[in-house]
Amino acid sequence: MSGFEAVLLYVCVVIVLVLMYALPRVPQVLTGSKPANAWGRDQPSIDPALLVRAQHAHANAVENFPLFLAVVVVGALMNKSADVIDPLAIYVVYLRIGQAVVHLIGTSFWLVMARATLFLSQIALIVVMAYRLLHG
């Protein structure tokens, strides 16, 4: 899988996460049981815990996406995708999927530690790709 294909897969993960918490809100607004502005950022969450965790997993994925995208694009611009980016990019996505799944499962100490490990592993892979682009 190419780095750009991995980026597209990452985007699909982000879309699934946003739909997990956004879609359940649509019927509530359409039926009038909740106003459209019931989910303001300055208000406490009224969603079930799973949807709150999906929202947080989505935010985490969005926060890391620019780093991943930048390394993939720079690798392509440097004509080093095949050697540097392509072999590792899919693992960033696998780790992101793992982190999202763990995020959705719960917030116990061990799950948070697993999530942190998956996050740091993604960052490490992005750093390795960047290093290899600079020094490869």
Side-chain angles (χ1 to χ4, degrees):
M1 174 175 287
S2 75
F4 285 124
E5 290 169 324
V7 165
L8 288 174
L9 186 56
Y10 192 111
V11 169
C12 291
V13 171
V14 172
I15 290 169
V16 166
L17 290 169
V18 74
L19 291 177
M20 282 184 70
Y21 71 88
L23 281 180
R25 295 173 176 178
V26 173
Q28 295 176 52
V29 172
L30 293 178
T31 62
S33 66
K34 297 267 190 305
N37 64 352
W39 296 273
R41 292 184 182 168
D42 58 339
Q43 301 171 25
S45 179
I46 57 173
D47 285 326
L50 177 63
L51 298 186
V52 172
R53 291 193 305 272
Q55 188 174 14
H56 293 173
H58 169 255
N60 288 161
V62 168
E63 291 167 355
N64 292 340
F65 181 67
L67 300 173
F68 180 48
L69 178 62
V71 169
V72 171
V73 169
V74 169
L77 292 172
M78 295 174 72
N79 292 319
K80 294 184 178 183
S81 289
D83 297 335
V84 175
I85 302 300
D86 295 352
L88 298 176
I90 190 60
Y91 294 104
V92 174
V93 178
Y94 292 155
L95 290 164
R96 169 53 54 190
I97 291 169
Q99 182 180 356
V101 168
V102 171
H103 212 134
L104 294 171
I105 292 171
T107 58
S108 73
F109 173 81
W110 292 110
L111 290 172
V112 171
M113 294 303 291
R115 218 170 61 217
T117 301
L118 292 163
F119 165 74
L120 291 173
S121 298
Q122 290 165 69
I123 296 300
L125 276 177
I126 293 168
V127 168
V128 166
M129 288 187 284
Y131 179 84
R132 288 181 62 194
L133 286 173
L134 291 170
H135 302 293

